[in-house]
Amino acid sequence: MLKDTMAVDPLQWVAKYADYLFTYAITRLNDDEQARDLVQETFLAALERIDRFEGKSSERTWLTAILKNKIIDVYRKKSSGLTGATEHLNGEEEPDFFDNVTGHWKAAHYPQVFGIEDPDRLDKKDFTRILQLCMQKLPALWLSVFTMKHMDDAPTENICTELKVTPSNFWVIIHRTKLNLRACLQKNWI
């Protein structure tokens, strides 16, 4: 059954959904101004397409889907200029984090204890702030891949298609992103 579009109230969208949508965008972009712009663009796009809202989902879900597509467009734009940067990833030498014989961590690169085994520490705003700062230091393509994979739970195939990276480059990017985030967190959080 189709929902009557008159039941949708765009005048209430800002009051009901702006904070949620902003939070959704800022956690994926780490840019306040861009997040605000995308939320505004989301409301505008929804208003222009209100006649296509079928009511199969809630208004919030519908608006979030529009915002998610806008965020993916931002990822695409950021990564489109970096295609040459991903081409060398396969040939670029990885620092020797592991012993070639045993396969275990080398002592100099062995991961430090994070000190976040206590779940209460994860709730701290300081950790979130430092994680966001560490994420801002990532190259745009790496941030896009990491966010889509670990925050949006997008399938690998979709990420590769959306961002135009090969599956092997995808896994190299994910690996390097995790190593960089871990190193940054170890340096700034522990």
Side-chain angles (χ1 to χ4, degrees):
M1 175 161 60
L2 296 179
K3 183 177 180 178
D4 181 12
T5 56
M6 297 309 289
V8 177
D9 188 5
L11 298 176
Q12 296 298 313
W13 287 350
V14 172
K16 286 182 177 179
Y17 309 118
D19 289 341
Y20 169 78
L21 294 173
F22 176 75
T23 301
Y24 184 91
I26 194 69
T27 58
R28 285 151 179 83
L29 298 171
N30 289 322
D31 182 337
D32 285 358
E33 187 174 327
Q34 190 170 39
R36 281 189 201 97
D37 289 347
L38 287 183
V39 171
Q40 289 177 5
E41 289 176 25
T42 298
F43 289 140
L44 181 60
L47 194 57
E48 291 171 348
R49 297 183 194 120
I50 198 165
D51 58 324
R52 291 191 232 159
F53 179 68
E54 297 177 348
K56 293 180 180 178
S57 63
S58 68
E59 283 180 319
R60 177 174 149 166
T61 302
W62 180 57
L63 292 168
T64 304
I66 294 170
L67 177 60
K68 184 176 181 180
N69 287 328
K70 293 194 172 298
I71 291 170
I72 288 172
D73 288 343
V74 169
Y75 291 162
R76 263 194 220 116
K77 286 177 188 172
K78 286 182 178 179
S79 68
S80 66
L82 300 174
T83 53
T86 62
E87 297 301 320
H88 74 281
L89 289 179
N90 284 334
E92 186 177 300
E93 282 299 310
E94 200 53 58
D96 290 331
F97 291 106
F98 305 100
D99 184 291
N100 291 336
V101 177
T102 65
H104 295 284
W105 286 95
K106 287 185 175 180
H109 299 291
Y110 191 81
Q112 305 274 322
V113 176
F114 260 170
I116 58 173
E117 289 73 21
D118 178 11
D120 292 339
R121 290 199 60 189
L122 288 176
D123 292 332
K124 304 254 187 220
K125 289 183 180 181
D126 288 344
F127 177 80
T128 303
R129 182 181 55 79
I130 291 170
L131 177 60
Q132 287 178 341
L133 290 172
C134 289
M135 289 175 69
Q136 286 176 353
K137 294 178 183 180
L138 294 171
L141 179 61
W142 293 17
L143 178 62
S144 300
V145 169
F146 182 80
T147 302
M148 290 176 78
K149 181 67 177 172
H150 294 291
M151 295 178 82
D152 294 339
D153 293 324
T156 302
E157 300 79 31
N158 291 3
I159 298 169
C160 290
T161 302
E162 294 287 339
L163 300 179
K164 296 177 178 62
V165 296
T166 64
S168 60
N169 282 346
F170 168 84
W171 290 112
V172 170
I173 290 168
I174 284 291
H175 175 71
R176 291 184 179 175
T177 301
K178 288 178 180 179
L179 288 175
N180 275 284
L181 286 175
R182 181 171 187 102
C184 182
L185 288 170
Q186 282 181 200
K187 180 179 177 184
N188 296 297
W189 176 245
I190 298 176

